């Protein structure tokens, strides 16, 4: 395992490229516009990022379409396409430390999570989908004699992928690997808040043998590059992960343009139910703390609403507060750090606003609630627990996407289920019971 000093040295040695990646090479945005990528732990500028917009989208989509039609990738023999994606997985593995550092610097996730989760999961995702290429078969439908009906898997054409910043590399892999495996051409718009690993991935894809024009990356903002992609008539599928608000907008954009297929993964406010008959309250408390404070709470399935049954409430809250104290914001490049900074100042402000509203609406602040500075800088938030909460409170209803946990009480199982399901979201849930 590398030391803090090793990771710091690696972070300082990298050459970061924030240009768009179109047709197999790095390019400035047509407008020449850039915006800065800021390291949220140090507030230092990492790179100038190309601010792509409609003009870049038109070029990238046209390239992707022509490449798709040429068959150079879409009609490549399955075994060959598989080998290219397996080679890409190998290249990611060879550069695993570099990828770990890129996302840690770009969005603040702890290096230990990058090493344990994001990078290995990305490699697995490419390997798994690559292996599907020559192993997922079509079907023959049952028909009357003299008729033959075949069901086969075909690429759709140009897939636009729009991704969030909370697992920058992994979210990109989950979209791009299957789309490429199926033979599509891809235009990816990663989050403006963390796009460096996506750009490096595209460069390695070329090295692995993905033909030029098949995998393009356009950094830029949602209302410019993202919207232009979503409204584009030559985009056939839109694959999105991000907030519920933007997910709804993308459905509208599809309707306003070519009714492209839209696949959405959106936000969450997941409940975590602790019953009186839970036989290990300490384990429940430790896991519940990890379920909201890991990755600074910037997790779609973060269990941000706890419903605890009256009989174990006091014992559980004491154990939970103790478990929360083990999450301490620190330099994310330190392998001992289990909480990095929030992705940016705006996200830290969002956390502050929700904590304030929770207290104003009657909640009891048990811990946290303030920003924290590591070596005098950065956008760090402390793990925060607000008890005496209920479903009428704004901070219990809305996704915060930060390390803020609401603790509510219930008496009966029926009440618990009703409270848990009383949400506009549906993504994850946890239950602690021995029955
Ligand atoms: P976001 O919705 O603000 O942004 C996501 C992406 O959409 C970004 O690339 C952004 O630039 C783009 N975008 C924004 N406005 C757009 C527009 N008008 N047109 C087209 N594109 C636009 O979300 P975020 O802040 O990046 O990520 C956090 C959200 O993602 C949370 O709600 C979280 O729950 C969700 N998320 C969900 C999952 C899941 O699997 N369900 C996984 C991770 C994150």
């Amino acid at each position: 395992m590398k030391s803090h000093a090793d990771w710091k040295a690696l972070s300082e040695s990298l050459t970061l490229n924030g240009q768009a990646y179109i047709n197999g090479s790095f390019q400035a945005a047509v407008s020449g516009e850039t915006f800065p990528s800021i390291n949220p732990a140090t507030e230092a500028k990492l790179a100038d990022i190309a601010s792509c917009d409609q003009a870049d989208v038109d070029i990238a989509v046209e390239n992707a379409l022509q490449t798709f039609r040429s068959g150079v990738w879409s009609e490549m023999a399955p075994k060959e396409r598989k080998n290219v994606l397996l080679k890409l997985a190998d290249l990611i593995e060879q550069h695993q430390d570099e990828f770990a550092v890129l996302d840690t610097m770009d969005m603040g996730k702890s290096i230990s999570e990058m090493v344990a989760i994001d990078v290995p999961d990305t490699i697995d995702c490419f390997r798994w989908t690559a292996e599907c290429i020559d192993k997922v078969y079509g079907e023959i439908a049952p028909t009357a004699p003299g008729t033959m009906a075949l069901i086969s898997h075909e690429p759709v054409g140009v897939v636009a992928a729009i991704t969030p910043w909370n697992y920058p590399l992994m979210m990109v892999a989950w979209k791009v690997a299957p789309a490429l495996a199926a033979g599509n051409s891809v235009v990816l718009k990663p989050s403006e808040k963390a796009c460096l690993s996506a750009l490096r991935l595209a460069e390695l894809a070329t090295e692995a043998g993905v033909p030029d024009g098949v995998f393009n990356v356009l950094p830029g903002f949602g209302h410019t590059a993202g919207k232009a992609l979503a409204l584009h008539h030559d985009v056939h599928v839109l694959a999105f992960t991000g907030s519920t608000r933007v997910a709804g907008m993308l459905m509208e954009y599809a309707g306003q343009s070519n009714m492209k297929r839209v696949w959405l993964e959106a936000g969450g406010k997941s409940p975590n139910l602790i019953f009186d008959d839970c036989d290990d309250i300490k384990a429940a408390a430790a896991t519940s703390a990890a379920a909201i404070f890991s990755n600074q709470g910037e997790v779609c399935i973060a269990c941000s609403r706890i419903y605890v049954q009256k009989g174990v409430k006091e014992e559980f809250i004491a154990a939970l507060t103790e478990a929360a104290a083990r999450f301490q914001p620190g330099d994310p490049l330190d392998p001992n750090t289990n909480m990095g900074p929030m992705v940016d100042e705006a996200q830290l402000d969002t956390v502050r606003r929700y904590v304030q509203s929770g207290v104003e609406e009657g909640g009891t602040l048990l811990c946290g609630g303030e920003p924290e500075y590591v070596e005098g800088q950065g956008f760090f938030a402390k793990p925060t627990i607000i008890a005496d909460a209920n479903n009428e409170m704004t901070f219990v209803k809305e996704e915060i996407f930060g390390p803020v946990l609401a603790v509510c009480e219930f008496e009966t199982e029926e009440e618990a289920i009703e409270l848990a399901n009383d949400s506009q979201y549906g993504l994850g849930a946890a239950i602690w019971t021995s029955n």
Side-chain angles (χ1 to χ4, degrees):
M1 182 66 178
K2 284 188 154 43
S3 68
H4 189 185
D6 294 336
W7 289 114
K8 267 188 138 164
L10 179 58
S11 73
E12 281 154 17
S13 71
L14 295 178
T15 311
L16 306 175
N17 196 334
Q19 289 193 312
Y21 198 84
I22 302 175
N23 209 18
S25 66
F26 281 109
Q27 306 176 17
V30 171
S31 66
E33 295 288 319
T34 61
F35 60 91
S37 159
I38 303 292
N39 180 337
T42 63
E43 303 179 43
K45 185 169 97 171
L46 293 168
D48 288 312
I49 308 294
S51 186
C52 295
D53 59 22
Q54 179 81 55
D56 308 279
V57 166
D58 288 344
I59 292 169
V61 172
E62 176 61 21
N63 260 301
L65 186 63
Q66 292 313 328
T67 315
F68 178 76
R69 287 184 177 154
S70 77
V72 62
W73 181 250
S74 54
E75 291 170 19
M76 186 184 270
K79 192 170 101 181
E80 273 180 59
R81 204 161 63 227
K82 175 180 84 171
N83 287 338
V84 172
L85 290 188
L86 287 176
K87 170 109 189 279
L88 177 53
D90 289 345
L91 285 172
I92 301 167
E93 194 163 34
Q94 280 166 32
H95 294 272
Q96 55 185 303
D97 288 348
E98 180 187 346
F99 276 111
V101 164
L102 278 176
D103 278 0
T104 292
M105 290 197 298
D106 217 2
M107 63 69 71
K109 176 191 290 281
S110 72
I111 197 82
S112 53
E113 272 203 36
M114 282 306 299
V115 170
I117 300 172
D118 300 46
V119 177
D121 188 290
T122 298
I123 298 165
D124 283 352
C125 179
F126 273 98
R127 289 207 173 117
W128 193 88
T129 43
E131 289 293 350
C132 286
I133 296 175
D134 59 1
K135 293 179 188 64
V136 175
Y137 287 71
E139 289 174 68
I140 300 175
T143 50
T147 310
M148 172 86 109
L150 302 175
I151 300 165
S152 67
H153 302 288
E154 308 278 338
V156 281
V158 178
V159 172
I162 300 182
T163 53
W165 46 263
N166 62 330
Y167 288 82
L169 179 65
M170 200 170 102
M171 291 294 114
V172 163
W174 289 8
K175 300 274 181 263
V176 170
L180 289 180
N184 299 291
S185 291
V186 175
V187 182
L188 165 72
K189 195 211 78 68
S191 170
E192 61 276 18
K193 298 184 184 188
C195 58
L196 292 170
S197 57
L199 290 163
R200 183 70 178 114
L201 180 70
E203 202 182 7
L204 287 188
T206 301
E207 196 180 324
V210 174
D212 293 350
V214 170
F215 178 27
N216 309 276
V217 183
L218 301 182
F221 293 96
H223 63 279
T224 53
K227 184 173 176 182
L229 262 181
L231 283 168
H232 206 291
H233 281 264
D234 288 327
V235 167
H236 306 109
V237 161
L238 186 56
F240 169 83
T241 299
S243 63
T244 304
R245 186 183 65 86
V246 174
M249 291 163 77
L250 297 191
M251 293 175 97
E252 287 181 25
Y253 296 155
Q256 286 162 22
S257 53
N258 59 343
M259 290 174 61
K260 53 181 71 65
R261 280 184 251 174
V262 184
W263 293 3
L264 306 169
E265 296 275 358
K269 189 81 191 174
S270 298
N272 184 2
L273 313 184
I274 324 288
F275 285 86
D276 280 349
D277 67 357
C278 163
D279 55 16
D280 192 343
I281 289 290
K282 274 208 158 51
T287 310
S288 300
I292 180 66
F293 301 133
S294 299
N295 205 33
Q296 306 78 244
E298 294 166 336
V299 181
C300 57
I301 50 164
C303 282
S304 48
R305 295 184 286 147
I306 283 193
Y307 297 94
V308 57
Q309 203 161 10
K310 206 172 174 181
V312 288
K313 186 176 150 192
E314 267 185 39
E315 185 191 353
F316 176 77
I317 286 182
L320 180 68
T321 318
E322 208 181 300
R326 291 198 282 275
F327 285 85
Q328 281 302 324
D331 181 350
L333 284 173
D334 181 344
N336 295 315
T337 293
N338 58 11
M339 250 181 113
M342 307 308 298
V343 69
D344 59 12
E345 198 167 14
Q347 193 67 15
L348 182 61
D349 276 343
T350 301
V351 167
R352 260 191 227 150
R353 268 202 323 276
Y354 275 111
V355 172
Q356 197 180 347
S357 88
V359 173
E360 280 169 9
E361 290 179 27
T364 307
L365 187 64
L366 297 184
C367 62
E370 304 141 34
E372 166 124 346
Y373 301 94
V374 174
E375 292 172 17
Q377 58 204 359
F379 310 124
F380 296 86
K382 286 186 182 158
T384 300
I385 302 175
I386 303 178
D388 302 318
N390 64 60
N391 281 10
E392 301 312 309
M393 296 177 175
T394 315
F395 92 106
V396 183
K397 284 188 197 157
E398 297 176 7
E399 182 183 43
I400 302 172
F401 222 53
V404 182
L405 179 58
V407 182
C408 315
E409 182 191 293
F410 71 89
E411 292 193 23
T412 64
E413 180 181 324
E414 292 67 33
E415 190 191 356
I417 293 170
E418 201 178 309
L419 291 170
N421 284 333
D422 172 29
S423 170
Q424 60 162 322
Y425 299 101
L427 210 51
I431 300 174
W432 290 84
T433 173
S434 54
N435 178 356

